[in-house]
Amino acid sequence: GENVEQHPSTLSVQEGDSAVIKCTYSDSASNYFPWYKQELGKGPQLIIDIRSNVGEKKDQRIAVTLNKTAKHFSLHITETQPEDSAVYFCAASMIGDDMRFGAGTRLTVKP
Amino acid sequence: GAGVSQSPSNKVTEKGKDVELRCDPISGHTALYWYRQSLGQGLEFLIYFQGNSAPDKSGLPSDRFSAERTGGSVSTLTIQRTQQEDSAVYLCASSLVVAADTQYFGPGTRLTVL
């Protein structure tokens, strides 16, 4: 089955700097890669996703890149703000299979 | 529209008791998922439903855990003879179709086993 690894486990940045979180997956058949943001006491919320027919996707300050050959994908947050502080999870899935999540990255944005 | 809802939001129980956790998915979503999140940990997949059937139960930690879904909608996760290590937040998610599709999460049920 699919195995997803996520790095780093914790990340601290200064407000205004960029943050990058990286994930690798094991099954080349995976074709859907969402990113979730989880704030304290809440369920994970989808912030951006990418499918395997696309190499990059951007939504305002958030972007995701996918390298199918290397089987890794990354979340990029630019101009970070304190409200970006949360735990971020990557995930991977393929048709007919369940979604596997990374272990999560705790992002802290210092004002 | 309404999102995924879960009840109760918090549940405190004594070791050895049975508990039932409920999930109401988004209307029309055929796939429903249960996850467990221990304190400060990632998301652990438990089981998913496609309609009323559960093609993958591989994530259930033991035979004390079971889940059912009726009418292609509401699902209940039952934990029998609870143990302290069952303490966690149990999250439910639904998606329009199974896998390779966006999952929408509920707020979770925080279970504490004393």
Side-chain angles (χ1 to χ4, degrees):
Chain A
E2 178 63 273
N3 181 47
V4 178
E5 294 190 359
Q6 183 172 347
H7 301 280
S9 56
T10 60
L11 179 60
S12 180
V13 300
Q14 206 66 38
E15 181 177 1
D17 288 350
S18 295
V20 180
I21 303 170
K22 300 181 179 180
C23 288
T24 60
Y25 60 100
S26 61
D27 196 327
S28 57
S30 289
N31 58 2
Y32 178 61
F33 308 92
W35 285 88
Y36 289 86
K37 176 183 181 182
Q38 187 174 25
E39 297 175 327
L40 192 63
K42 299 182 180 180
Q45 299 298 313
L46 179 74
I47 54 171
I48 195 167
D49 57 10
I50 192 168
R51 298 187 186 272
S52 60
N53 58 346
V54 176
E56 182 174 1
K57 184 176 179 180
K58 192 172 182 179
D59 182 4
Q60 298 183 340
R61 297 186 297 108
I62 296 173
V64 57
T65 58
L66 171 64
N67 183 326
K68 289 170 54 181
T69 302
K71 291 188 284 188
H72 67 68
F73 55 112
S74 300
L75 177 72
H76 304 252
I77 306 174
T78 58
E79 300 171 29
T80 53
Q81 301 167 4
E83 51 265 37
D84 294 331
S85 296
V87 177
Y88 292 80
F89 292 97
C90 64
S93 71
M94 57 182 176
I95 293 176
D97 201 356
D98 53 83
M99 189 169 292
R100 300 294 178 178
F101 287 81
T105 296
R106 181 173 297 280
L107 174 65
T108 303
V109 180
K110 300 177 183 177
Chain B
V4 177
S5 62
Q6 292 186 245
S7 62
S9 55
N10 278 284
K11 176 70 177 179
V12 180
T13 190
E14 293 179 351
K15 177 181 174 181
K17 301 282 189 182
D18 298 351
V19 295
E20 275 192 2
L21 312 180
R22 176 188 169 107
C23 173
D24 278 274
I26 294 173
S27 178
H29 280 195
T30 62
L32 184 148
Y33 313 78
W34 283 99
Y35 298 90
R36 180 168 69 175
Q37 188 173 35
S38 300
L39 185 63
Q41 299 299 310
L43 292 164
E44 176 188 4
F45 168 78
L46 297 179
I47 186 173
Y48 87 87
F49 289 89
Q50 176 60 35
N52 291 334
S53 64
D56 187 352
K57 304 180 182 179
S58 63
L60 295 177
S62 76
D63 58 8
R64 296 186 295 106
F65 288 72
S66 62
E68 65 175 15
R69 188 181 187 194
T70 55
S73 181
V74 171
S75 175
T76 55
L77 176 69
T78 301
I79 309 173
Q80 296 177 309
R81 305 181 302 281
T82 52
Q83 304 294 314
Q84 288 185 333
E85 59 263 28
D86 299 335
S87 297
V89 174
Y90 289 81
L91 289 159
C92 173
S94 72
S95 64
L96 194 57
V97 295
V98 68
D101 199 2
T102 301
Q103 294 186 20
Y104 298 87
F105 281 81
T109 294
R110 180 175 296 279
L111 174 66
T112 303
V113 181
L114 302 176

